Amino acid sequence: MSEIAAHASKVTLKINNRQIEATSGQTIFEAALANSIDIPILCHNPAIDPPVGVCRICVVEVTDGKTGKKDRAFSAACVRKVDEGLIVETQTPDVKKARHTLVQLLMADHPHNCRDKAHQEACELERLLKDFQIAPELPTLPHEKPRNQDPSAPSILVNHAACILCDRCVRACAEKTYHIIARHGKGYDAGIAFGLGEPMHTSHCVSCGACVDACPTGAITPAHDHYGVEELVPRRGDGIARPDYVSHKKNLRDRINNGEGRICHIKDLHEFDIFRHVSVKFLDQNPGCVFRRPLKKGEILFREGERAETAFYIIKDEHDPYPEETRVKLLTENPIPFGPGELVGDMSCMNLYPHTATAEVVFDCEVLEMTRNMLDLARNSMATGEYEKKYGRRALEFQLRCNTKNKENCSGVFSTLSPEFIKYLEDRITLVRCGPGQTIVQKGDEAKAFYFISFGFVKVVHPYVGGEFVVASLSPGSYFGEMELLKGITEEKKYLYTCKTVHHADLLRIEADDFELMMDKFPKIREQLVKEAKEHLEKNKKFQERAQFEVKHDPETGLEEAYSMLVLDLDKCTRCDQCVVACAETHDYNRLVRDGKTVDHYLIASACRHCHDPLCMVCHWNAIQRNPESLAVTIDPEKCVGCGQCALGCPYGNIKLFDKIHNLVSFSKFEAGINTIDLEAKATSCDLCPGYSVPNCVRACPHEAAERYSAAAFNKKREDEKQKLEQRHNKKSFWSKWFAN
Amino acid sequence: MQIDETHRTWAVWTAALLAAAAIAFILCWIFYRREPAGGTIPGIVFGFAGYGLMAYAFLLYARKKYPTQSRIWQKRSLRWLNKGAVQTWMRGHIWLGALSYAFILFHSRGLRFGNAFTVTWVLMWSFTFVVVTGLLVAVLQTVMPRFMTVSLPMESIYNDIRVVRKKLLREANELLRPFSEKGRRESVPVLARGATAVTVTTVVSEAEADKLWNTYQGKIKPYLKLRDAFRPELSSSRTAEDVFTRLREGMPERIRPVIDKLEEICREKRDLDRQVTLHWVLHGWLLVHIPLAALVIILGAVHAIMSIHYLS
């Protein structure tokens, strides 16, 4: 429904010579619908707001009743608001002709028999073709470059050729607050894109199915029509939705033949607590995404470093004689137990992160292995349920007792809390679930709470005019907000930084009063936190001083994210590769490739740009952080376990992995899901050569061709150069002046 | 290194030193009433100063070879060598290297290189050649990078060129596989960008397929295989265009994308060949410059020792 003013007045209008009454603010379509007058629609769906009027199928002829003047052009009924005395005609020959032409044009660029026979009935465009009695033998547009299909997602098939750019999926996705789907491209290349135009499976799409529901054609459809239910069963640890369907099928068959488990059908799913509240419609759209597996004691569910693409729900049985018994253990320093009715590996799966620990089965049980889309459905449906409370309590206990591998972040500060106080907190904490890029606290806002990060990553952001500079990335186990709440640290109780989530994150919120009570009761904890806070403040001061930028968006280069990029002046560079030699000599491994994007006569070499918002800074082992001195994004080889998450995150491919025998690990290999932790690989990237006044790549260049620039400095240099050239061009030489005289 | 206005200070100081040396030479000439010979005190001073500058210029090689805190620089005696930016060393190399030649000329009373095939003669000719190649490299380094940037829009990393060439050959082979006898027999579909997947026999006649296949086997493949191609037909863009125009004649429209792609591959190969040539023009001189410089340093030392020995 469109937005209607609270005290809307009534208006009278005529539709097809019928006097009707409508509320001001309503659209013509809504008024017609309320009076059972049929206006065909395509891009509009009353269930999806707002109407956009892009397809123009709902065109109507509008005449102003007062002046008797017809509108210059037909109006789209889905967006045109009603007005007093309007005369609307929905079925004149001209209107019909316009609609017919529009349908014909859309069909000319649309595959006939939209996807398959079964779906033909569901395609609203083809239905219109039938309703308008237009001959199906239509001329088609010549397709020099056919639009492709995206079969990467396990449950949804995207056929870009069938897309009519109605934006229904975009609006449906936005309505679900995911904002994953958007328009991209121009002209014939225009289409919808997931994330940054990546395959659907690798984007942050959770496959909720809202777009499938919304799509009027066969552009976004459930994949099971095409691949068959059985082929959708997930493969553990090896990805579930890659285009290599041959190996996928083989793997699936092997798993079923080996008796690993069986597909869990939709009707069975509703028997489990976890799926009880999930809509049947959504479950219908995602068949075969849950695999029921019996597990034996000693079996490894997943291993540390494996890319998590499925999560596990330990089945709770009413007749279980040992309902409280631990079924699965996460093998960290202090093993974390999971019992019936709990999810294991869920946050890693949600964010497609590698698992941070190995999970071992300690008691025979059964699990539901589910894909990311099903996990999301389950999590959303359980958001206020018992699971949420249980999850929050466990997370709190885990955080406070510091059962984390990440000793540095979770330094055991809260390990001295008494069990009574933890119990007290358990009833007081709030579990905050955040989506990607969500702001948790804003710099300058009043500090009201203290947060623990249970899962996911939080970036600490220093905002500047026109952008944001990420000063740190907080991994699970870290906390923030304590500096502002501790007495005597800051003058005002205001947040010093903005904190945002990177991907999906779960946080535990402790209110300011409870935090103060904790500090009063446990002075040792307070002492420790004050000490840490002072260190943080010192760092903060350095960041405040250094992270001052004036960056303008430059669509030509798109380099505004770079804090320090290696720029080679190709007019000076003799291609001697001294920079590469120097890099290899300094770090044992070469961290730069003399290739990359070219801007004017400058080459932006493939070496870390130390971005303002580094997408690579998502490390469970806290190995990748920003250096407060140089502001460089550096990888600590001691902490790095070689999972490759940072390398996958870097959009410029500037992070490389080397295995234990110093061989470069092929990017395609670890992208395909091999466990690089087994290779004992280490991630490497430029660290701006700490200990040297100038990075060695720059220092070693004999031709003064290599230089490190921030985006702003680089743009300024280019502008200065252009100005100089213009001046030189405008300045008349001695001889030209002499001849002119 | 590009020689531009930033070299002004170095140029001025070099000119000043040269002028000072010239004045000293003239004063000595007046004082001795003849040109100061290499064995006189001023001659020896000029000789040592020149040799010192030569040795300094030669050290750039070591400085460049180990540009950072390598193990070699951990030695106390060599640590000083790692001081200063390489750019400064390079400027010193150019200007002081040139000045060393002037000093040596003062030492040898002009262009008197001694009797043929003596140590001094070999030394002086080698040194002259080192200086000339050095100046040539300096000029090339000023001009060539810009030329390469403009003329090689699809420049590759030099060390990767071999791999890229192999890839191009593989790509061409794959593209033309359907036209081979085996490909035709097995009805391998033609795959080209923009072309619909069809089998050769449905699109072209046997004679046309033969024409394409034979041209590929006879001209294009050998060209793509060659490491340094000097075959006039395909190594020049103009003659290559003729080859492909002839090849396109009479060919059906649906097979054109294959020929276009083949032409693109040849163009890329030609660019790579040109890059190799330009790279050699730019860096090949160093293969003469550096060994000769080493010879000059050694012969210079021999000349000094022998001269001092006979002088005493």
Side-chain angles (χ1 to χ4, degrees):
Chain A
M1 256 326 211
S2 299
E3 193 184 313
I4 301 170
H7 304 287
S9 56
K10 296 282 177 192
V11 292
T12 319
L13 70 154
K14 264 186 183 175
I15 301 181
N16 296 348
N17 285 328
R18 230 176 98 188
Q19 190 88 11
I20 61 164
E21 208 175 54
T23 318
S24 67
Q26 266 190 322
T27 61
I28 293 175
F29 175 78
E30 283 164 356
L33 192 69
N35 289 280
S36 309
I37 298 169
D38 184 40
I39 299 176
I41 46 170
L42 187 60
C43 73
H44 180 49
N45 183 336
I48 306 167
D49 260 349
V52 285
V54 289
C55 74
R56 318 298 288 185
I57 292 292
C58 61
V59 286
V60 288
E61 193 180 86
V62 179
T63 312
D64 190 337
K66 292 168 198 167
T67 59
K69 265 189 180 177
K70 272 186 190 173
D71 274 8
R72 191 175 49 82
F74 294 147
S75 300
C78 66
V79 287
R80 176 75 192 259
K81 298 273 192 293
V82 291
D83 217 344
E84 185 61 42
L86 279 191
I87 301 165
V88 181
E89 288 295 338
T90 67
Q91 297 296 336
T92 63
D94 284 349
V95 168
K96 277 183 180 174
K97 196 180 165 193
R99 282 183 196 146
H100 284 208
T101 312
L102 286 167
V103 170
Q104 278 177 324
L105 284 171
L106 284 171
M107 278 308 292
D109 194 26
H110 185 78
H112 293 277
N113 298 339
C114 195
R115 177 156 156 213
D116 50 40
K117 266 194 172 174
H119 196 264
Q120 199 176 343
E121 291 298 308
C123 175
E124 289 177 31
L125 182 61
E126 299 212 17
R127 233 186 296 159
L128 281 178
L129 192 78
K130 222 173 167 183
D131 292 350
F132 292 169
Q133 293 172 344
I134 302 168
E137 291 83 25
L138 293 166
T140 49
L141 285 177
H143 291 148
E144 194 186 312
K145 200 170 70 182
R147 293 194 186 100
N148 57 343
Q149 285 196 354
D150 179 359
S152 65
S155 52
I156 295 173
L157 176 76
V158 185
N159 180 8
H160 290 285
C163 178
I164 55 164
L165 301 174
C166 65
D167 278 355
R168 272 206 209 170
C169 54
V170 179
R171 285 175 281 153
C173 192
E175 215 166 61
K176 296 279 281 174
T177 72
Y178 294 127
H179 299 278
I180 301 293
I181 312 178
R183 278 276 199 106
H184 85 129
K186 280 182 175 178
Y188 189 74
D189 291 328
I192 54 157
F194 292 82
L196 294 171
E198 56 222 282
M200 191 183 191
H201 176 59
T202 52
S203 73
H204 277 94
C205 170
V206 295
S207 304
C208 67
C211 52
V212 178
D213 264 357
C215 182
T217 67
I220 310 180
T221 49
H224 63 275
D225 289 357
H226 194 72
Y227 294 108
V229 173
E230 282 144 3
E231 291 161 27
L232 289 163
V233 179
R235 287 180 293 168
R236 182 175 59 79
D238 196 23
I240 43 163
R242 299 215 175 75
D244 55 337
Y245 281 101
V246 178
S247 63
H248 173 74
K249 279 180 197 168
K250 189 174 175 291
N251 194 303
L252 175 82
R253 272 188 227 113
D254 288 350
R255 287 187 72 185
I256 294 171
N257 291 342
N258 291 344
E260 271 191 44
R262 62 184 171 83
I263 299 155
C264 206
H265 290 288
I266 293 130
K267 58 180 180 184
D268 301 334
L269 284 179
H270 255 249
E271 286 171 17
F272 300 108
D273 282 353
I274 188 169
F275 292 114
R276 193 154 290 159
H277 304 290
V278 180
S279 124
V280 182
K281 196 174 178 188
F282 276 151
L283 290 180
D284 252 344
Q285 282 165 0
N286 299 291
C289 287
V290 182
F291 192 57
R292 190 173 175 148
R293 284 176 63 187
L295 298 172
K296 291 269 174 228
K297 188 183 168 185
E299 204 173 315
I300 298 292
L301 199 55
F302 52 78
R303 287 182 308 132
E304 183 183 9
E306 270 181 359
R307 195 128 314 124
E309 285 171 345
T310 53
F312 304 87
Y313 171 76
I314 305 170
I315 295 173
K316 202 161 100 180
D317 188 355
E318 280 174 20
H319 310 293
D320 190 349
Y322 313 103
E324 297 301 316
E325 196 72 39
T326 299
R327 300 302 200 266
V328 175
K329 260 185 186 173
L330 272 190
L331 304 177
T332 54
E333 277 182 27
N334 298 307
I336 307 161
F338 289 87
E342 286 192 281
L343 275 166
V344 190
D346 52 344
M347 280 311 286
S348 302
C349 172
M350 274 310 291
N351 290 325
L352 294 173
Y353 292 151
H355 287 295
T356 49
T358 300
E360 191 188 356
V361 181
V362 290
F363 199 92
D364 288 1
C365 60
E366 266 195 304
V367 290
L368 295 181
E369 184 176 343
M370 66 191 82
T371 52
R372 195 159 152 253
N373 52 333
M374 295 306 281
L375 174 67
D376 186 58
L377 292 177
R379 274 165 52 95
N380 288 342
S381 69
M382 292 189 308
T384 52
E386 190 198 333
Y387 161 79
E388 195 79 354
K389 268 191 179 172
K390 198 171 177 181
Y391 173 80
R393 277 180 193 163
R394 191 166 52 77
L396 181 75
E397 199 181 331
F398 173 55
Q399 294 303 326
L400 298 181
R401 297 252 166 94
C402 206
N403 279 334
T404 175
K405 199 182 171 187
N406 191 347
K407 283 281 178 193
E408 183 156 299
N409 266 337
C410 195
S411 49
V413 181
F414 298 96
S415 54
T416 53
L417 279 178
S418 64
E420 293 79 32
F421 194 77
I422 293 178
K423 197 148 187 61
Y424 165 78
L425 278 181
E426 276 176 4
D427 297 329
R428 311 271 300 169
I429 53 142
T430 323
L431 183 70
V432 186
R433 295 207 139 147
C434 304
Q438 196 171 319
T439 304
I440 307 156
V441 298
Q442 187 87 39
K443 187 183 177 182
D445 280 1
E446 193 192 340
K448 288 178 182 168
F450 166 72
Y451 293 89
F452 270 118
I453 304 167
S454 177
F455 278 111
F457 288 87
V458 170
K459 53 186 180 184
V460 183
V461 170
H462 174 76
Y464 58 85
V465 181
E468 287 173 339
F469 190 79
V470 176
V471 295
S473 167
L474 305 176
S475 56
S478 311
Y479 42 82
F480 60 92
E482 83 287 4
M483 268 198 297
E484 295 84 352
L485 292 176
L486 283 167
K487 284 170 195 161
I489 297 291
T490 52
E491 287 172 13
E492 290 176 297
K493 268 192 174 180
K494 284 184 175 172
Y495 288 115
L496 296 170
Y497 287 106
T498 297
C499 291
K500 284 181 168 184
T501 55
V502 180
H503 303 130
H504 294 273
D506 283 359
L507 308 164
L508 298 172
R509 180 186 160 109
I510 297 175
E511 298 303 325
D513 297 343
D514 293 327
F515 181 78
E516 275 164 21
L517 185 69
M518 180 161 70
M519 292 301 103
D520 291 342
K521 281 196 168 186
F522 302 93
K524 269 191 179 174
I525 295 178
R526 187 190 144 75
E527 259 174 48
Q528 182 78 19
L529 285 179
V530 167
K531 196 180 154 196
E532 279 180 14
K534 281 181 179 164
E535 283 170 20
H536 286 313
L537 274 180
E538 195 61 37
K539 274 187 187 176
N540 178 26
K541 212 175 154 189
K542 279 179 189 168
F543 282 130
Q544 298 275 18
E545 282 167 8
R546 303 208 54 191
Q548 300 292 337
F549 306 100
E550 272 180 41
V551 182
K552 286 180 205 157
H553 175 64
D554 184 358
E556 193 191 335
T557 60
L559 296 169
E560 62 271 11
E561 268 296 312
Y563 165 68
S564 174
M565 55 188 169
L566 178 62
V567 178
L568 301 176
D569 185 344
L570 292 176
D571 282 356
K572 288 182 179 174
C573 175
T574 63
R575 285 73 165 165
C576 65
D577 275 339
Q578 278 297 118
C579 47
V580 181
V581 173
C583 183
E585 202 181 89
T586 313
H587 304 293
D588 293 337
Y589 305 103
N590 175 28
R591 297 178 182 190
L592 92 91
V593 180
R594 196 177 46 76
D595 202 1
K597 186 184 171 76
T598 315
V599 180
D600 300 342
H601 56 96
Y602 296 104
L603 174 81
I604 317 297
S606 296
C608 182
R609 299 177 183 187
H610 308 280
C611 299
H612 288 192
D613 184 2
L615 299 179
C616 56
M617 230 155 75
V618 279
C619 180
H620 278 97
W621 293 268
N622 229 12
I624 183 159
Q625 281 298 344
R626 197 182 282 280
N627 184 327
E629 300 295 332
S630 61
L631 299 188
V633 178
T634 49
I635 301 172
D636 184 347
E638 297 299 318
K639 288 181 188 169
C640 176
V641 295
C643 67
Q645 187 65 22
C646 51
L648 284 172
C650 176
Y652 311 108
N654 289 341
I655 298 181
K656 295 179 188 72
L657 253 77
F658 289 92
D659 64 15
K660 59 183 171 189
I661 46 169
H662 299 192
N663 283 335
L664 182 74
V665 180
S666 149
F667 189 78
S668 56
K669 257 188 184 178
F670 70 85
E671 199 184 30
I674 63 153
N675 190 351
T676 41
I677 290 184
D678 288 349
L679 302 173
E680 292 177 35
K682 294 278 177 201
T684 59
S685 85
C686 167
D687 56 2
L688 292 181
C689 300
Y692 293 88
S693 54
V694 180
N696 276 326
C697 49
V698 176
R699 193 165 167 256
C701 176
H703 309 292
E704 293 172 342
E707 196 58 76
R708 284 260 169 193
Y709 289 106
S710 68
F714 181 57
N715 286 342
K716 193 172 177 302
K717 186 183 166 66
R718 286 175 59 229
E719 274 169 23
D720 288 351
E721 236 170 50
K722 272 179 196 166
Q723 268 181 5
K724 260 187 194 175
L725 266 176
E726 269 175 28
Q727 278 172 6
R728 204 176 288 174
H729 186 73
N730 294 335
K731 201 177 166 185
K732 285 182 179 173
S733 69
F734 170 78
W735 293 111
S736 60
K737 276 182 195 168
W738 190 76
F739 278 116
N741 290 332
Chain B
M1 173 175 264
Q2 215 169 39
I3 298 173
D4 51 19
E5 63 271 15
T6 58
H7 283 247
R8 197 174 291 151
T9 319
W10 278 95
V12 168
W13 276 103
T14 309
L17 279 171
L18 181 64
I23 291 166
F25 184 78
I26 292 163
L27 287 177
C28 290
W29 197 337
I30 296 164
F31 183 75
Y32 286 107
R33 292 187 185 173
R34 62 186 182 94
E35 303 151 281
T40 61
I41 292 172
I44 291 169
V45 170
F46 276 126
F48 272 103
Y51 188 74
L53 292 178
M54 277 157 63
Y56 165 77
F58 186 72
L59 282 175
L60 176 76
Y61 171 71
R63 184 71 182 80
K64 271 175 72 178
K65 185 89 182 160
Y66 306 101
T68 61
Q69 201 77 31
S70 158
R71 254 178 238 144
I72 193 166
W73 306 128
Q74 303 298 327
K75 289 179 185 168
R76 216 174 185 179
S77 54
L78 289 173
R79 210 173 285 168
W80 62 274
L81 206 54
N82 196 29
K83 297 272 186 257
V86 183
Q87 294 94 319
T88 317
W89 278 76
M90 190 72 177
R91 281 164 195 264
H93 175 84
I94 295 169
W95 293 101
L96 299 182
L99 189 65
S100 72
Y101 192 68
F103 279 20
I104 295 300
L105 286 186
F106 288 136
H107 168 71
S108 64
R109 292 178 294 161
L111 295 164
R112 292 177 195 175
F113 291 177
N115 294 330
F117 303 108
T118 57
V119 171
T120 320
W121 185 84
V122 175
L123 174 63
M124 283 310 288
W125 275 113
S126 308
F127 189 34
T128 306
F129 209 71
V130 168
V131 173
V132 170
T133 52
L135 287 174
L136 188 68
V137 172
V139 172
L140 285 175
Q141 285 187 353
T142 306
V143 180
M144 288 285 284
R146 187 166 297 170
F147 179 70
M148 284 172 85
T149 311
V150 175
S151 61
L152 300 168
M154 298 288 285
E155 196 182 335
S156 292
I157 298 172
Y158 180 75
N159 292 337
D160 290 351
I161 287 179
R162 230 175 66 186
V163 182
V164 181
R165 275 174 176 163
K166 275 185 186 168
K167 206 180 134 210
L168 287 177
L169 179 64
R170 219 169 30 237
E171 208 176 315
N173 279 339
E174 196 54 36
L175 191 71
L176 269 290
R177 198 162 65 92
F179 295 87
S180 66
E181 271 180 34
K182 197 181 168 198
R184 272 183 260 178
R185 211 169 42 240
E186 290 172 3
S187 303
V188 179
V190 182
L191 293 169
R193 202 172 55 193
T196 331
V198 285
T199 51
V200 173
T201 43
T202 59
V203 188
V204 285
S205 64
E206 282 287 322
E208 284 164 342
D210 281 344
K211 183 185 164 189
L212 185 57
W213 179 246
N214 292 338
T215 314
Y216 177 68
Q217 285 292 330
K219 284 179 184 167
I220 301 167
K221 197 173 175 183
Y223 170 70
L224 292 175
K225 263 185 178 177
L226 275 177
R227 201 166 157 221
D228 297 302
F230 291 106
R231 290 202 163 203
E233 266 196 310
L234 288 166
S235 54
S236 145
S237 57
R238 198 181 299 165
T239 45
E241 208 181 314
D242 293 341
V243 171
F244 284 101
T245 312
R246 280 202 299 277
L247 195 58
R248 276 194 194 92
E249 275 167 18
M251 283 287 180
E253 198 62 40
R254 286 173 82 179
I255 222 72
R256 290 277 169 90
V258 176
I259 303 171
D260 293 346
K261 179 75 190 156
L262 208 56
E263 193 174 11
E264 203 181 303
I265 290 172
C266 287
R267 196 178 301 134
E268 208 171 321
K269 164 79 165 58
R270 207 159 42 240
D271 276 358
L272 291 175
D273 289 344
R274 196 189 303 148
Q275 188 185 338
V276 172
T277 313
L278 291 176
H279 194 90
W280 268 97
V281 169
L282 191 55
H283 296 284
W285 290 105
L286 292 176
L287 290 178
V288 182
H289 185 74
I290 296 168
L292 270 183
L295 181 73
V296 167
I297 294 294
I298 295 164
L299 288 181
V302 171
H303 166 76
I305 292 163
M306 280 171 66
S307 305
I308 290 166
H309 176 73
Y310 285 112
L311 201 69
S312 59

